[in-house]
Amino acid sequence: MKTLQKLIFTFIFLAFFTPIFSFGAKENVVSEEKTIIPTRIVSLGASATEILFAVGAGDQVVARTDFCNFPPETSEIPSIGGFDGKTFSLESIISYKPDFVVLFKVMHDHLIEPLEKYGISYYVSDANTIEDVLKEITEIGKITGHEENALALVKEIQLSIENLSLISNKTVYWEVWNAPYMTIGATSFINELITKAGGKNIFADLEQSYPSVNEESIIARNPEVIFIPSDSPVTVEDVKNRNGWQDISAVKTGSIYKINADITSRAGPRIKDAILLINEFLAK
């Protein structure tokens, strides 16, 4: 059970990250004290690692987490452990002699003070929207000396999303967890992906990013499509066999899908891929 709880906790924090960013600041401010381009970067999250490689800073990354598995070249970079700050130590980060560390809000807040004490620059990520992700790509590109690449990438992503013409209008239940039932609300990054893909999140009226909901409300809202992240232990058959779920439209039509969590839960450069993947299932 502890392993499963850790899985869901990790999922929630893996995916959603914008800049609180800084060379020693704790707000959305860039310190003017240091302008040296970092050459030894430690990335503490998968989305950050994807951004670093996408803007051309991959060869500046000296350490990552176990979850940083894309692009394939990341396998050649040493890992300090899991995403959760409890699975690795400050000493393990320092051992790679970093001059820049990418952190994630809440999960890694405890590292800010010691990093400042060591004089190591950092960037705190906390993206919850597509706009946040694009801003983060721009800022990380600038910090790492790849501003032109970053701006070009952002423009490419913006145009690719604007040119999408996706129509579905199917209602969606996205199951983050099932004990208790947890889904996505209006402020979740995934909620925006569903909307861009042409779907309608049945719990978009809830303001929380990851609200807990009761089983009765899921059944009553009768989703036409049910998504389960690929890293969830829940299977399609498990959902079909739940008491009272047989009358749900998605169950009747077999529209229950395990979807790639690496692509859809990371607020990084593969936004278009995530939207197209969701739409692919909605179009069935």
Side-chain angles (χ1 to χ4, degrees), residues 27 75 84 86 93 124 167 174 176 190 216 245 258 271:
E27 302 297 334
S75 62
D84 187 339
K86 296 178 181 178
I93 296 175
V124 183
I167 300 174
W174 192 290
V176 175
I190 296 177
E216 292 74 16
W245 286 53
K258 296 277 280 191
I271 297 171

Side-chain angles (χ1 to χ4, degrees), residues 13 23 57 60 71 105 122 136 168 170 181 183 200 212 219 231 241 256-257 280 282:
F13 285 97
F23 287 121
Q60 293 158 253
K105 188 178 180 181
Y122 60 87
E136 181 165 299
S168 168
K170 288 183 179 177
Y181 287 103
T183 186
K200 296 180 180 180
S212 293
I219 296 172
D231 53 7
N241 294 327
I256 307 168
Y257 308 110
E280 180 183 328
L282 293 178

Side-chain angles (χ1 to χ4, degrees), residues 33 58 73 77 84 131 158 168 172 184 187 204 211 217 227 229 260:
E33 296 178 4
E73 299 92 300
I77 301 173
D84 187 339
E131 183 179 352
Q158 287 174 323
S168 168
V172 174
I184 55 172
T187 54
S217 66
F227 285 117
N260 191 315

Side-chain angles (χ1 to χ4, degrees), residues 52-229:
L52 287 163
F53 272 84
V55 300
D59 60 356
Q60 293 158 253
V61 180
V62 295
R64 59 178 175 92
T65 72
D66 294 341
F67 293 96
C68 301
N69 58 4
F70 187 86
E73 299 92 300
T74 57
S75 62
E76 301 173 8
I77 301 173
S79 173
I80 62 169
F83 177 68
D84 187 339
K86 296 178 181 178
T87 64
F88 59 83
S89 65
L90 173 66
E91 288 72 23
S92 63
I93 296 175
I94 300 300
S95 69
Y96 288 96
K97 300 179 180 178
D99 50 11
F100 185 64
V101 179
V102 183
L103 314 172
F104 289 85
K105 188 178 180 181
V106 179
M107 184 66 76
H108 304 132
D109 286 355
H110 64 288
L111 294 172
I112 292 177
E113 186 174 344
L115 287 175
E116 290 180 344
K117 185 179 295 185
Y118 278 96
I120 299 173
S121 300
Y122 60 87
Y123 182 103
V124 183
S125 176
D126 180 35
N128 296 294
T129 66
I130 290 176
E131 183 179 352
D132 288 344
V133 177
L134 299 180
K135 182 179 180 183
E136 181 165 299
I137 291 172
T138 301
E139 293 185 333
I140 287 181
K142 183 177 181 179
I143 293 170
T144 58
H146 302 280
E147 185 173 10
E148 288 188 11
N149 288 351
L151 291 174
L153 176 60
V154 166
K155 185 175 181 180
E156 178 186 338
I157 293 173
Q158 287 174 323
L159 289 175
S160 67
I161 293 177
E162 288 173 4
N163 291 332
L164 291 177
S165 180
L166 307 176
I167 300 174
S168 168
N169 292 321
K170 288 183 179 177
T171 55
V172 174
Y173 166 60
W174 192 290
E175 185 167 289
V176 175
W177 193 239
N178 69 313
Y181 287 103
M182 183 182 293
T183 186
I184 55 172
T187 54
S188 166
F189 172 73
I190 296 177
N191 179 67
E192 189 173 8
L193 295 182
I194 292 173
T195 301
K196 293 288 185 182
K200 296 180 180 180
N201 172 21
I202 63 171
F203 288 106
D205 58 319
L206 302 182
E207 285 300 316
Q208 305 100 306
S209 294
Y210 301 98
S212 293
V213 295
N214 60 55
E215 191 172 29
E216 292 74 16
S217 66
I218 300 170
I219 296 172
R221 297 190 183 208
N222 192 27
E224 297 171 276
V225 177
I226 295 175
F227 285 117
I228 309 166

